[in-house]
Amino acid sequence: MFWLFVGIITLTFVLPLLSAWIVAKVMDLAKAHPKPAKYTLITMFIILMVAGGLKIRDIYYEKSPYYFWNELMRKNPKPFNVSQEEFEAKNRAGYCWRDKKYYSKEELWHKAMKSLTGRMIYENKFYWDNKVANIDGEFLPTEDECVRQKGCRVFKIPMNPDKEKFLKNNIEKENDFWKGIDILIKHNEAQSFILASDQNYINDDFKLKNYILIHKKGNPSYLSVYDSNNCCTVLNKSEWSLIKKNYILKYIGIDTVVFMQESKIPIDIDINSWGVGNFYLSVTYSKSISVPEFVAKDKSETFKDTRKVYLLNNCGDVLYRPNYWWRR
């Protein structure tokens, strides 16, 4: 918030004064020197203004401790013709301004599952863009690994007995398992999401109930698996209050190398008044499990040692960070 304040002051007062001073100097130089000098100075002035604007943008969008919170706010903005009082009152009642309706928990579940998948895609983009750092802060060449291993993507596989058998028949070698998934994708019986701009992701309303999400990064042997039948539950405030004592709010975690931004929620606001925290998404999933182990496993007994709870806004969008982690 401090840096945002500094940026606003800079834009409002410092830059105009500095600009006026530079313009005056340019005019003086223009009178005393030939035209080429004047054009050179004007070009330098334009470059300086662009560089300053980009720097302020970086401070606001990349270095803000409320980066993910600000992003969530933009997904359900206040209409210009609505008063702040009405905006906050309807937010507390669970109204989604973007879609102009109230959602039930059941309706929010589909929205939240798409948003959760978007979170996985968001993480993967850091790998595609070579923005994953090691413990020394050095960026790793992760894009090559994504391409070589056909990783850094999310697979959505609608499940039925035939597909379950098909996948089990393709685990003699782990590469055969992924070839099996490629066959399903080729016949439009499964989907692969790489970027949030992929049309198949944009057009998918996630209305199915029985499917699995496989979040695969660079390593071909290990993955995170979410079974839609029992991985994820939408909770209202009352339901969350009954289990909240078993969780701790974390701003960073084991995937800090991905989330470079510090992620906080403003402490001086009622988040319900901003349409957040009326609903939560409770998630359990299998993490770092090998392909044969996953396929042979009873999906109804998903590992329970990896549990998180995400805050949702009234439209079903997941707040990336912070989130609640189960106390072990």
Side-chain angles (χ1 to χ4, degrees), residues 149-157 166-167 170-186 190-192 212-225 289-292 294-295:
Q149 301 293 353
K150 291 186 176 181
C152 308
R153 63 194 69 202
V154 181
F155 299 92
K156 181 188 175 193
I157 309 173
F166 176 82
L167 293 177
N170 282 279
I171 62 171
E172 291 184 8
K173 296 180 179 178
E174 292 190 359
N175 285 337
D176 291 341
F177 175 84
W178 296 113
K179 288 179 182 177
I181 290 182
D182 287 340
I183 293 173
L184 293 177
I185 293 172
K186 182 179 179 181
Q191 296 190 67
S192 172
I212 58 172
L213 296 172
I214 299 179
H215 185 190
K216 181 185 180 186
K217 294 181 181 177
N219 192 314
S221 300
Y222 293 93
L223 49 137
S224 298
V225 181
I289 180 173
S290 69
V291 168
F294 159 68
V295 176

Side-chain angles (χ1 to χ4, degrees), residues 71-99:
E71 181 185 59
L72 192 68
M73 291 298 97
R74 290 193 293 271
K75 292 181 177 179
N76 188 31
K78 183 179 86 67
F80 73 93
N81 59 341
V82 173
S83 69
Q84 187 68 25
E85 291 76 13
E86 181 185 357
F87 179 66
E88 294 189 16
K90 280 195 170 183
N91 278 337
R92 287 191 292 271
Y95 188 71
C96 172
W97 293 93
R98 183 185 66 209
D99 300 337

Side-chain angles (χ1 to χ4, degrees), residues 190-224:
Q191 296 190 67
S192 172
F193 307 129
I194 298 177
L195 301 173
S197 57
D198 290 348
Q199 284 301 311
N200 61 334
Y201 172 72
I202 293 174
N203 296 331
D204 194 332
D205 57 11
F206 280 68
K207 286 298 179 68
L208 287 176
K209 288 290 289 184
N210 187 18
Y211 58 87
I212 58 172
L213 296 172
I214 299 179
H215 185 190
K216 181 185 180 186
K217 294 181 181 177
N219 192 314
S221 300
Y222 293 93
L223 49 137
S224 298

Side-chain angles (χ1 to χ4, degrees), residues 10 26 56 58 75 126-127 138 176 184 284 298 327:
T10 302
V26 168
I56 292 172
D58 290 342
K75 292 181 177 179
F126 282 81
Y127 289 82
E138 300 170 336
D176 291 341
L184 293 177
T284 62
D298 180 358
R327 297 175 186 267

Side-chain angles (χ1 to χ4, degrees), residues 36-48:
K38 179 178 69 174
Y39 294 140
T40 300
L41 289 172
I42 292 175
T43 301
M44 293 176 62
F45 168 71
I46 293 173
I47 293 174
L48 178 64

Side-chain angles (χ1 to χ4, degrees), residues 160-312:
N160 56 47
D162 289 338
K163 288 195 181 71
E164 184 81 5
K165 184 176 185 298
F166 176 82
L167 293 177
K168 285 185 177 180
N169 289 338
N170 282 279
I171 62 171
E172 291 184 8
K173 296 180 179 178
E174 292 190 359
N175 285 337
D176 291 341
F177 175 84
W178 296 113
K179 288 179 182 177
I181 290 182
D182 287 340
I183 293 173
L184 293 177
I185 293 172
K186 182 179 179 181
H187 290 86
N188 297 318
E189 296 184 21
Q191 296 190 67
S192 172
F193 307 129
I194 298 177
L195 301 173
S197 57
D198 290 348
Q199 284 301 311
N200 61 334
Y201 172 72
I202 293 174
N203 296 331
D204 194 332
D205 57 11
F206 280 68
K207 286 298 179 68
L208 287 176
K209 288 290 289 184
N210 187 18
Y211 58 87
I212 58 172
L213 296 172
I214 299 179
H215 185 190
K216 181 185 180 186
K217 294 181 181 177
N219 192 314
S221 300
Y222 293 93
L223 49 137
S224 298
V225 181
Y226 301 73
D227 176 12
S228 68
N229 282 312
N230 50 50
C231 77
C232 310
T233 305
V234 172
L235 308 172
N236 58 32
K237 285 189 294 186
S238 298
E239 292 167 326
W240 166 239
S241 66
L242 297 176
I243 63 171
K244 183 178 179 179
K245 64 180 181 298
N246 299 320
Y247 291 81
I248 183 171
L249 186 65
K250 286 192 176 183
Y251 300 97
I252 59 174
I254 58 176
D255 53 358
T256 307
V257 290
V258 172
F259 292 106
M260 304 299 289
Q261 295 89 357
E262 186 179 6
S263 312
K264 293 185 177 180
I265 297 176
I267 60 175
D268 56 345
I269 65 170
D270 174 7
I271 63 173
N272 296 140
S273 295
W274 294 92
V276 181
N278 291 307
F279 300 96
Y280 298 77
L281 182 67
S282 175
V283 176
T284 62
Y285 59 99
S286 301
K287 189 174 180 64
S288 297
I289 180 173
S290 69
V291 168
E293 205 176 348
F294 159 68
V295 176
K297 189 175 180 61
D298 180 358
K299 306 305 181 303
S300 65
E301 293 298 325
T302 307
F303 286 170
K304 295 299 190 294
D305 61 340
T306 307
R307 307 185 197 177
K308 295 181 183 179
V309 174
Y310 300 98
L311 284 85
L312 297 177

